[in-house]
Amino acid sequence: MNFIFGVILLAMFILALRVIWATALQLLNALKHAVQTLHRYRAQRLARHRLPIIMPSIRHEMDWLAISDSVRQEIQSRNRESNRELDSLELQYQAKQKTIKLYEADIEIAKLERELLKIKPTIVLAESEVKPRRRSKKVGESVLVDEKSTKTAQQVFQLREALKGNANALPINQQARH
């Protein structure tokens, strides 16, 4: 009985040693894997900060002429695309400049129309004061005021026609139409 008990104890001792040994090997492998991962992480981190990057040796011959031609073609195609973008931006800029000029011309027209409205009441007042028997004396003042309003109205009309592109087609004596 002691013999059987001794064999059982010996078997349990051997099993315990094998379990401890297997656990130690698993811990050792896990530790090696962790160290390798740590070294790989540090190497990647150091490689990011390192300049320049050295290419590994190439095992086959490279056709440097073909590579340079492809790079040259790529550069030329990119330059063409940037030129197209530059042209479109230039057209947009010109359109905006013309729009600004049109706004400025509209402002000038509005100012001239305001001046014309300031002059028109004086024309109306001058005509209402005119009496039939003194018509010859008052006509002189009215004609003077009327000439100013005609000149301003003509300028407004000419400015509008110039913006439309018909500046040279107008006779100078033509009256403005509102």
Side-chain angles (χ1 to χ4, degrees):
M1 181 125 164
N2 285 340
F3 179 73
I4 295 176
F5 189 66
V7 170
I8 292 175
L9 278 177
L10 184 63
M12 287 176 73
F13 181 72
I14 291 173
L15 280 175
L17 282 177
R18 286 192 75 182
V19 168
I20 292 172
W21 182 253
T23 306
L25 284 178
Q26 284 180 352
L27 285 174
L28 183 64
N29 284 338
L31 187 60
K32 282 183 183 179
H33 182 69
V35 168
Q36 286 176 351
T37 306
L38 183 63
H39 284 300
R40 196 173 332 128
Y41 172 74
R42 290 174 85 191
Q44 287 175 355
R45 195 167 145 217
L46 289 173
R48 276 188 236 145
H49 298 294
R50 195 178 329 146
L51 292 176
I53 298 173
I54 300 172
M55 289 179 54
S57 62
I58 301 171
R59 294 188 180 107
H60 57 85
E61 288 288 323
M62 299 221 27
D63 188 10
W64 292 106
L65 292 175
I67 292 172
S68 67
D69 287 339
S70 66
V71 168
R72 188 177 302 113
Q73 288 174 355
E74 181 68 25
I75 290 171
Q76 289 174 351
S77 68
R78 286 183 184 177
N79 286 344
R80 273 187 245 117
E81 289 174 6
S82 66
N83 285 341
R84 286 187 207 128
E85 290 174 15
L86 183 65
D87 291 341
S88 67
L89 289 175
E90 182 67 30
L91 290 175
Q92 289 176 359
Y93 175 72
Q94 290 174 358
K96 288 181 181 180
Q97 289 293 325
K98 288 180 181 179
T99 305
I100 290 171
K101 287 180 183 177
L102 286 173
Y103 285 145
E104 290 173 350
D106 284 342
I107 291 169
E108 283 295 318
I109 289 172
K111 286 179 182 177
L112 290 173
E113 286 177 346
R114 191 173 4 157
E115 288 179 20
L116 182 64
L117 290 175
K118 287 179 184 177
I119 294 172
K120 276 187 178 181
T122 58
I123 294 171
V124 172
L125 288 176
E127 289 177 2
S128 65
E129 291 176 3
V130 174
K131 296 181 181 174
R133 49 194 155 120
R134 293 187 189 175
R135 188 171 190 123
S136 61
K137 293 180 182 176
K138 295 287 184 175
V139 170
E141 294 173 5
S142 174
V143 168
L144 223 141
V145 173
D146 194 28
E147 286 177 9
K148 287 182 182 177
S149 67
T150 303
K151 198 181 236 184
T152 306
Q154 184 177 353
Q155 289 175 351
V156 171
F157 182 70
Q158 286 176 350
L159 185 57
R160 282 188 179 153
E161 289 300 316
L163 288 173
K164 291 178 185 175
N166 301 331
N168 296 330
L170 295 173
I172 296 173
N173 295 334
Q174 187 178 10
Q175 294 274 336
R177 288 174 256 156
H178 293 282

